[in-house]
Amino acid sequence: MGDDAWTVVGKGSRRKMSATAFRALQAGSTTRSFGVVEDSSDASVKKTWSQIDRAVREIREAQFTKTLLKQLGEAGFCSRRADAPTPTSATSTSTPNACDAELRFQQMVILGLGSPSNSLVSRFQLALAMVLSEWLGVRHESVLLYDPVFTRIDVATLSEKKIGKTLDRTKADVLCGESAARTKVNTFWFMPHCEAALYNNVLRANAGVDTSGDTSG
């Protein structure tokens, strides 16, 4: 994958990093998946998890989330939650929570979150991903995460709290690099803040769609 595919967004992204940290991330993101920038002196798994947990509770109660989950259920997405609405499409049956088999996911890939230990926006993005994985019934060991700005505290929190499995750069490239291969299981992609090249790589590998020449957007 070209270096620009993982360009680290600066001040305007609200990732709250200094210019020095920003340059270090850009220089190191091609070879390392985390630890390029040292964690702040007061950073800890306990503190980060407390912040994430608070974000999850807020996201879970947000009207946006309730509407989103309702619409996913009505569109045929498979949920393991008992209160998920039954789809109204032609593929639905009289069975409660009937869904389209192609919309039953065994894996979730989360890319481009930013650093949950350093960014409020990243924590809310992660919180939504966690609520979605729970709703979809994707087990935590099948939730894969990567962002070149993950710190060691981020990685430790994601692992210890069983949120998901963090990938290194090489494994992330297998999923979304220039030579990405189609995933072996149905995969829900959560990519809230990525470069266009990554979206194109994923679409080309998994849906046979190449948008690299599309200049309309």
Side-chain angles (χ1 to χ4, degrees):
M1 182 189 312
D3 293 353
D4 60 346
W6 280 109
T7 299
V8 180
V9 180
K11 184 176 179 181
S13 70
R14 293 185 289 179
R15 290 195 182 186
K16 298 182 179 178
M17 62 182 68
S18 66
T20 300
F22 174 54
R23 288 193 294 271
L25 284 171
Q26 285 185 309
S29 65
T30 59
T31 57
R32 302 177 66 182
S33 61
F34 59 91
V36 179
V37 175
E38 294 295 327
D39 291 293
S40 61
S41 59
D42 65 339
S44 68
V45 170
K46 181 179 179 180
K47 177 182 178 181
T48 301
W49 171 245
S50 176
Q51 293 171 324
I52 293 172
D53 185 54
R54 187 182 310 121
V56 169
R57 283 186 272 114
E58 290 187 38
I59 284 291
R60 201 185 300 279
E61 295 303 316
Q63 186 57 50
F64 163 79
T65 306
K66 295 175 182 179
T67 300
L68 173 61
L69 298 182
K70 181 176 183 292
Q71 291 177 341
L72 288 176
E74 291 173 346
F77 283 73
C78 299
S79 172
R80 293 187 181 178
R81 273 185 29 181
D83 60 344
T86 301
T88 56
S89 66
T91 59
S92 65
T93 69
S94 58
T95 304
N97 299 324
C99 62
D100 186 334
E102 292 186 359
L103 296 177
R104 183 182 298 281
F105 298 97
Q106 291 80 46
Q107 177 174 267
M108 174 183 276
V109 175
I110 303 172
L111 305 172
L113 283 179
S115 169
S117 63
N118 288 295
S119 168
L120 177 63
V121 172
S122 296
R123 288 193 290 275
F124 275 106
Q125 290 176 161
L126 174 60
L128 179 58
M130 290 169 65
V131 170
L132 284 170
S133 67
E134 177 188 50
W135 190 88
L136 292 166
V138 179
R139 299 173 61 86
H140 69 86
E141 58 265 30
S142 297
V143 175
L144 310 178
L145 307 96
Y146 176 74
D147 193 304
V149 305
F150 281 163
T151 68
R152 296 188 185 280
I153 290 295
D154 292 328
V155 173
T157 304
L158 294 169
S159 174
E160 291 181 24
K161 298 304 178 179
K162 300 186 183 302
I163 297 171
K165 178 182 178 181
T166 53
L167 305 176
D168 59 25
R169 177 59 183 267
T170 300
K171 291 180 179 178
D173 278 354
V174 172
L175 292 170
C176 61
E178 293 177 355
S179 300
R182 185 182 182 88
T183 56
K184 296 180 180 179
V185 297
N186 280 2
T187 301
F188 188 95
W189 298 84
F190 187 88
M191 302 169 63
H193 194 82
C194 294
E195 297 292 330
L198 297 183
Y199 297 114
N200 185 62
N201 293 344
V202 170
L203 288 171
R204 183 175 58 237
N206 293 278
V209 176
D210 190 334
T211 63
S212 59
D214 184 1
T215 60
S216 61

